[in-house]
Amino acid sequence: MNPETPIEMHLVSVVTGVPIIVSSLVTLLFWFSMGFVIYSYFGYPLFLILISTFSRKRVSKAALFPRVSFIITAYNEGERIDQKLQNTLALAYPREKLEIIVASDCSTDRTDEIVRSYEGKGVKLVRAPERRGKENAQKHAIEAASGEVFVFSDVATILEPDGVSSIVQNFADPTVGCVSSEDRFIDPEGKISGEGAYVRYEMVLRQLESRVSSVVGLSGSFFAARREVCFPWAADLQSDFSVLLNARRMGLRGISDPNSVGYYANLARGSREFERKVRTVLRGISVVMRNLSLLNPFRYRLFAWQLFSHKICRWMNPVFLLVLLISSLLLIFTSPIYLIFALVQVLFYLLALGGTLVGRLVSGSLLRIPAYFVAVNLSIVVAWYRYVKGDRLVAWDPSRR
């Protein structure tokens, strides 16, 4: 109904139980929230596509073999560190130019003992003097490293033999400061599995960002950086994100390389996956809050817009999704369009609930897409709550896959 007279406006107010001024405000909130959510997930990538059509940055790759310090961060990885070291030693990179360092965050199991057994093969153990988190352990490793390029990798991530040689080729381009790999999940049978629509979306987004200017995030499980962009090193902040921001401050960019792939298993339990999401967002928020100057569009121009669109907007989405749902429910009697939107949202969240339940039994169920979407946004809410409480999550426990 579109009231044109005071009587009709009064009838709308009576029927809906909402004063007309309040109804107008709710309508405004509905459309603003709708626009915000659409921009965050679809508008931003569409703008990237449009920009890349007129101005596309390419990467000048070339075969080069700088001295590489390959840094593996570990905490109580006695069950997996042997496999990781075997995989690393099998890398097709000139051995005299590959320095392998395991940064132990005060492991209390057999991790350090196993690493020391590889000393004869050139593997170096750097043990942090006290357990203060992943980034602190990495800090001690880079201080002991001699490479021109640092490659960081988690214990759970397996690389192809050409993994390092492929990722360092990007540094032939003097504008590149750091390089992200792309993620590939492996199922329990060892086969490459679909990562899910959401993760594939993230990989596409990184490719678009690379074409326009710079990615806004790196894959923490496998990424590379020039030595100079790793200093200063923040021992209490998410290293992959901090390194990228360091690069941008230096006028260098971060890119995503589709030919450099890190393989790792899906988390065995949904609760662990949710905890990982919360941890990732919480640590990301901490980094941005410490680097708010990078949101200055007059100084950082395109990257400031990218950082706001990819990170800030994404982290604000739960609020606008909730406003969108509530406002559409309040407006269902004013127009069929709001009724349709309300029904679609309720149905979507019911499918998400079903996907959460069914997904435990059927891993390939399409219902897991809405379930994953809701889980991501719930993890953002939890992360904000923990950030406001003062939790900065310095200590870490690797995800068991």
Side-chain angles (χ1 to χ4, degrees):
M1 181 183 297
N2 294 311
E4 298 179 354
T5 69
I7 295 177
E8 290 175 328
M9 292 172 66
H10 177 69
L11 287 174
V12 170
S13 179
V14 170
V15 171
T16 63
V18 180
I20 199 66
I21 295 177
V22 176
S23 179
S24 299
L25 177 60
V26 173
T27 302
L28 179 63
L29 287 173
F30 172 86
W31 288 109
F32 183 81
S33 299
M34 174 73 77
F36 189 94
V37 172
I38 290 176
Y39 170 76
S40 177
Y41 287 109
F42 304 103
Y44 173 54
L46 286 175
F47 273 115
L48 290 174
I49 292 172
L50 180 63
I51 295 171
S52 66
T53 302
F54 298 98
S55 177
R56 180 169 180 172
K57 291 183 178 293
R58 302 183 183 277
V59 180
S60 302
K61 290 186 178 183
L64 75 164
F65 299 95
R67 180 162 178 77
V68 170
S69 292
F70 190 92
I71 299 172
I72 305 166
T73 317
Y75 172 70
N76 286 355
E77 293 283 8
E79 296 182 1
R80 302 186 294 185
I81 190 64
D82 186 75
Q83 179 190 25
K84 177 63 177 179
L85 290 175
Q86 291 286 353
N87 176 252
T88 305
L89 290 168
L91 292 170
Y93 198 81
R95 193 65 191 85
E96 69 279 5
K97 291 191 175 183
L98 182 64
E99 177 183 46
I100 302 173
I101 301 174
V102 176
S104 174
D105 187 24
C106 291
S107 296
T108 57
D109 65 352
R110 296 183 61 248
T111 297
D112 294 1
E113 177 187 343
I114 295 171
V115 174
R116 288 192 183 98
S117 71
Y118 281 85
E119 286 181 351
K121 297 181 180 180
V123 178
K124 182 190 301 184
L125 172 68
V126 174
R127 180 181 171 88
E130 58 181 319
R131 188 173 181 235
R132 292 179 52 196
K134 178 178 181 178
E135 281 71 30
N136 182 65
Q138 290 174 329
K139 179 177 183 292
H140 289 283
I142 65 173
E143 288 173 349
S146 61
E148 302 168 59
V149 171
F150 296 157
V151 176
F152 298 88
S153 182
D154 289 344
V155 172
T157 305
I158 300 301
L159 309 184
E160 294 281 7
D162 65 347
V164 169
S165 58
S166 175
I167 204 167
V168 300
Q169 287 181 7
N170 296 281
F171 294 111
D173 190 323
T175 69
V176 174
C178 50
V179 185
S180 175
S181 65
E182 292 205 352
D183 302 329
R184 294 289 185 276
F185 293 95
I186 300 175
D187 64 23
E189 287 72 40
K191 299 177 182 178
I192 299 174
S193 63
E195 307 94 317
Y198 195 88
V199 177
R200 287 197 294 272
Y201 166 83
E202 285 293 327
M203 296 300 103
V204 170
L205 197 57
R206 285 185 189 174
Q207 285 300 313
L208 291 173
E209 290 175 335
S210 296
R211 294 177 191 174
V212 169
S213 175
S214 170
V215 294
V216 180
L218 307 174
S219 289
S221 58
F222 176 31
F223 72 97
R226 295 183 189 272
R227 182 186 186 92
E228 55 267 30
V229 305
C230 293
F231 297 95
W233 185 270
D236 61 339
L237 293 178
Q238 190 176 25
S239 57
D240 48 303
F241 199 3
S242 294
V243 165
L244 172 68
L245 298 187
N246 280 351
R248 294 306 297 153
R249 282 198 182 87
M250 294 180 173
L252 301 173
R253 62 191 179 118
I255 64 163
S256 181
D257 182 8
N259 297 318
S260 301
V261 179
Y263 298 94
Y264 55 95
N266 281 308
L267 292 176
R269 291 192 328 216
S271 60
R272 289 180 178 175
E273 174 65 15
F274 185 79
E275 291 164 6
R276 184 190 65 80
K277 291 185 181 74
V278 172
R279 183 171 66 245
T280 300
V281 175
L282 174 57
R283 285 156 59 81
I285 292 172
S286 299
V287 174
V288 170
M289 290 302 181
R290 192 88 62 89
N291 295 273
L292 289 175
S293 62
L294 285 159
L295 289 169
N296 183 348
F298 299 103
R299 183 173 182 182
Y300 294 102
R301 302 182 184 279
L302 191 60
F303 183 75
W305 166 69
Q306 290 182 269
L307 182 60
F308 176 79
S309 299
H310 194 155
K311 296 295 185 181
I312 305 299
C313 287
R314 191 73 58 83
W315 295 336
M316 292 171 64
N317 261 332
V319 173
F320 289 100
L321 286 168
L322 180 61
V323 171
L324 187 63
L325 177 61
I326 293 174
S327 60
S328 60
L329 290 172
L330 290 173
L331 295 168
I332 57 176
F333 294 108
T334 65
S335 171
I337 190 170
Y338 299 116
L339 175 61
I340 293 172
F341 274 119
L343 291 175
V344 169
Q345 289 175 85
V346 170
L347 177 61
F348 180 84
Y349 291 121
L350 288 175
L351 290 174
L353 178 61
T356 301
L357 299 175
V358 174
R360 296 171 182 171
L361 303 174
V362 185
S363 61
S365 172
L366 289 176
L367 292 177
R368 296 194 68 183
I369 294 176
Y372 190 89
F373 177 86
V374 171
V376 166
N377 283 281
L378 284 176
S379 71
I380 294 172
V381 173
V382 175
W384 273 115
Y385 172 73
R386 291 176 61 177
Y387 180 83
V388 171
K389 283 182 60 180
D391 188 354
R392 297 299 180 265
L393 202 66
V394 175
W396 67 302
D397 287 291
S399 300
R400 301 298 168 185
R401 298 177 183 273

